[in-house]
Amino acid sequence: MTLADYLAKNYLTADPQPEKKSKKRKRKHQADEGLVVDDDAALDWNASRLHDRDEDGPVTVSAGSADFRRSKASGWKTIGAPAPSSAEQAAADAIIASATAENAARDAAEDEAPALVGDLPDEVAKMESGAHAGLQSAEQVTAALRKRQAEERARFEREGDATSGRGQETIYRDASGRIINVAMKRAEARRKAEEEAAKKAAAEEAQKGAVQRAQRDARKQELEEAKYMTFARSADDVDLNQELRERERWDDPAARFLTRKKTGKSVTGRPLYQAAFPPNRYGIRPGHRWDGVDRGNGFERDYFAAQNRRRNHRELEYAWQLDE
C-alpha cells in the first residue's frame, strides 16, 4: 500500500457524485429526507436571529435551500484520528507522530538558541549575491560577510581540490569554445621557431663566399688538432715550418726560385686562370674560363694608381730631404 493510498483510506472522505434525477422524483424525494446543516450564512430574514442565538443551541435551516436539495451525504465531521484497525496502521501512526515530535523539538531548539551580536535572522530576504537586503548596520554587514567566507572555506575544505580547482591545469579555449591542447600548441610553436631559425641561418650561410666557408672549416680543423698539440711549439716543429713554407708573400724576392709547382686550383677545388690578370684589392684570381676582358668600371685601376702615386710622393720627399 502506498502512502497516498494509506492517507486516502484513513484521513480523506470522498463525496459521492450526485445522482441525476428528474424534477418530479427530486421533489418527491425531498419530503422523505431529513434536514442537512448548512454551514454557510443564511440568506433569508432569519439570519439576524441565528446570530443572536446561543452557539450551543439547535440550528434550523430552511428545507428549500439549494444545499439541502444537493446534499446526499452526512454533514457530520469526525474530530481526531480514528482508532487503528490493524498493526500496520498503528505503526504508520507512530511514525507520523514521532516525526511531528522531532520537528517540533528542532523548531523549539532553534528558537531558544542564542543569537550572535550583529547577526541577522535567516528569515530576512536575501539578494542574488547572498547578502541580506534592507537597512543594516556596519556590524551586521561585517558579520554576514565573515559568516559567508567561513561557509565557503569550510565547503572548499570539505569538497577538496577537485571542486575548488587548486592545482588543476588551466584549460584554454578558442573563439568557438573548443579546448586547446597547450602542449601541442607549444610543440608546434617550438617547431616553427626552429624552422625559422634554420631558414635564417641558411640565408646567412648563402650570403657568404665559398672561400670564407673553406677558411672557417680549416679553422675548425686547426682547433680540433690543437687539442693534441703540446703547449709550447719550438723552432724544430715540423708542422709549423711546413705551414710557414707554404705561405705565399707578394714581396718575397726568392719566390721565383721556388721549384714547387702550383696546383692551379682554388681553395674550393676549382681551376684558376694561369695567365696575367689585373690586380684587385682582395687578391682573387679569375677563373679558368675568363676571356681576359676587364668589364669593371675602372675603380680597381684607379685604386692602385692612387696607391702608387702616394707611395712615389713619399719616396721623393724622403730623397729630397737626404739631398739637403
Side-chain angles (χ1 to χ4, degrees), residues 63-290:
S65 64
D67 294 334
F68 178 77
R69 291 195 300 270
R70 289 198 303 269
S71 300
K72 299 300 180 182
S74 175
W76 295 98
K77 298 181 180 179
T78 303
I79 300 175
S85 59
S86 62
E88 182 180 357
Q89 183 177 355
D93 294 341
I95 293 172
I96 295 174
S98 62
T100 305
E102 290 178 0
N103 294 335
R106 183 168 59 254
D107 295 340
E110 292 178 356
D111 295 339
E112 294 176 0
L116 299 177
V117 176
D119 195 5
L120 292 174
D122 296 337
E123 289 77 6
V124 178
K126 294 183 178 181
M127 296 183 291
E128 185 178 359
S129 61
H132 292 280
L135 184 62
Q136 306 175 40
S137 62
E139 292 78 6
Q140 292 175 345
V141 174
T142 305
L145 181 60
R146 292 178 178 175
K147 181 179 179 181
R148 182 181 178 185
Q149 292 177 353
E151 292 177 354
E152 291 181 354
R153 189 180 300 106
R155 180 170 60 86
F156 287 152
E157 293 177 356
R158 182 174 60 257
E159 295 178 355
D161 297 341
T163 304
S164 62
R166 181 187 302 173
Q168 301 294 329
E169 186 178 359
T170 305
I171 298 177
Y172 298 92
R173 299 180 182 273
D174 56 5
S176 61
R178 293 176 297 181
I179 298 177
I180 300 175
N181 192 343
V182 180
M184 185 180 299
K185 290 293 182 181
R186 289 176 180 173
E188 185 177 356
R190 192 182 303 109
R191 180 177 56 80
K192 289 183 178 179
E194 292 176 356
E195 291 179 357
E196 291 179 359
K199 291 181 180 179
K200 185 177 180 180
E204 292 179 356
E205 187 70 17
Q207 294 176 0
K208 298 179 180 179
V211 178
Q212 285 78 10
R213 288 196 295 268
Q215 292 177 354
R216 183 190 60 189
D217 297 340
R219 181 60 179 171
K220 288 183 179 179
Q221 184 66 23
E222 291 178 0
L223 293 176
E224 290 294 332
E225 294 177 355
K227 296 179 181 179
Y228 307 101
M229 293 181 180
T230 58
F231 182 75
R233 303 182 69 179
S234 60
D236 299 335
D237 193 342
V238 179
D239 296 336
L240 179 59
N241 293 330
Q242 185 67 25
E243 181 182 354
L244 294 176
R245 288 192 185 98
E246 293 179 356
R247 186 178 300 175
E248 296 182 1
R249 298 173 178 85
W250 66 273
D251 56 349
D252 188 4
R256 67 184 67 181
F257 303 108
L258 295 177
T259 58
R260 181 175 58 87
K261 295 181 179 180
K262 296 182 180 180
T263 57
K265 292 184 179 181
S266 64
V267 179
T268 59
R270 298 177 181 178
L272 297 174
Y273 187 75
Q274 299 299 328
F277 62 93
N280 56 73
R281 290 171 292 169
Y282 306 103
I284 302 175
R285 297 174 62 90
H288 68 287
R289 298 182 184 276
W290 185 49

Side-chain angles (χ1 to χ4, degrees), residues 8-26:
K9 178 181 178 182
N10 295 280
Y11 297 95
L12 302 178
T13 303
D15 295 336
Q17 296 292 335
E19 298 179 1
K20 294 182 180 180
K21 297 181 180 180
S22 61
K23 293 183 179 180
K24 294 182 179 180
R25 291 184 179 181
K26 184 178 290 187

